[in-house]
Amino acid sequence: MSDGLTPELMLGAYAVGLFPMAEGEDDPTLNWYDPDPRGILPLEGFHVPRRLRRTVLSGRFEVSVDRDFPAVMRGCAAPAAGRESTWINSRIYQLFCALHTMGFGHSVECRMEGELVGGLYGVALGGVFFGESMFSRVTDASKVALVHLVARMRLNGFILLDTQFGTEHLARFGGVEIPAADYKEQLERAVCMQPCWSDTLAPDMLEAEIRSM
């Protein structure tokens, strides 16, 4: 790749706590971030509001994993109310699609009547999932994807869900900000684990895990 940044270098950066963002869709420059404090979503403290749990379990959305990673990235990059610009430029798109092809980039998708209406994507490395972005074209679609992500992570033995920054939205699910030094300690343990991601989980296991949240 012309700027020397490869998917392998990306994985090395993630393993030490760095992540890239672009200044804008038309700006080819990537900047690296290592925020302090760092946002995480504790898996055991994950909170699902009662109404949302009903929505997740209702079958309103068809939820899948890794069926169309590029489409989820495009959905996350598309302008939306309150988010007229994007940090996902063509280089970010290329790099993450390459990570997906290599088995590190993953997406959770929500569909209604076959149409993709929401989802999220990120990178799984050992026992950590680095959440990158989510989008929703229908109420609750991205939230349902998040619940399914956490259920899968808990069932597969992950120990860390990195949200990069803390937000009021994530705080409703139990998201917190912790000192970067504490995050790096958790990250070091997580990346040394055997790969935890699995595309296949029995539906009844997922449902039981969601009900337990």
Side-chain angles (χ1 to χ4, degrees), residues 60-72:
R60 177 186 176 203
F61 296 99
E62 176 196 356
V63 182
S64 60
V65 172
D66 289 339
R67 186 186 298 178
D68 198 341
F69 183 91
V72 172

Side-chain angles (χ1 to χ4, degrees), residues 27-57:
D27 188 342
T29 306
L30 300 185
N31 296 318
W32 292 94
Y33 293 85
D34 183 10
D36 189 2
R38 187 75 169 230
I40 66 168
L41 196 49
L43 297 175
E44 295 307 316
F46 186 71
H47 170 69
V48 183
R50 188 174 302 174
R51 184 195 62 80
L52 178 60
R53 184 184 291 106
R54 288 198 300 267
T55 299
V56 174
L57 296 171

Side-chain angles (χ1 to χ4, degrees), residues 37-121:
R38 187 75 169 230
I40 66 168
L41 196 49
L43 297 175
E44 295 307 316
F46 186 71
H47 170 69
V48 183
R50 188 174 302 174
R51 184 195 62 80
L52 178 60
R53 184 184 291 106
R54 288 198 300 267
T55 299
V56 174
L57 296 171
S58 70
R60 177 186 176 203
F61 296 99
E62 176 196 356
V63 182
S64 60
V65 172
D66 289 339
R67 186 186 298 178
D68 198 341
F69 183 91
V72 172
M73 281 206 71
R74 291 192 296 270
C76 290
R83 190 189 66 198
E84 283 69 33
S85 60
T86 179
W87 57 269
I88 303 173
N89 65 5
S90 60
R91 285 295 288 120
I92 291 283
Y93 178 82
Q94 293 167 2
L95 286 163
F96 278 94
C97 285
L99 288 174
H100 172 64
T101 300
M102 294 166 62
F104 295 99
H106 299 286
S107 59
V108 181
E109 306 114 4
C110 287
R111 291 177 175 82
M112 295 183 71
E113 299 180 353
E115 179 184 355
L116 183 66
V117 295
L120 59 82
Y121 78 94

Side-chain angles (χ1 to χ4, degrees), residues 156-173:
N156 284 316
F158 280 85
I159 63 172
L160 181 60
L161 174 49
D162 174 13
T163 64
Q164 299 178 346
F165 303 101
T167 67
E168 184 177 333
H169 173 69
L170 291 172
R172 296 171 186 155
F173 295 93

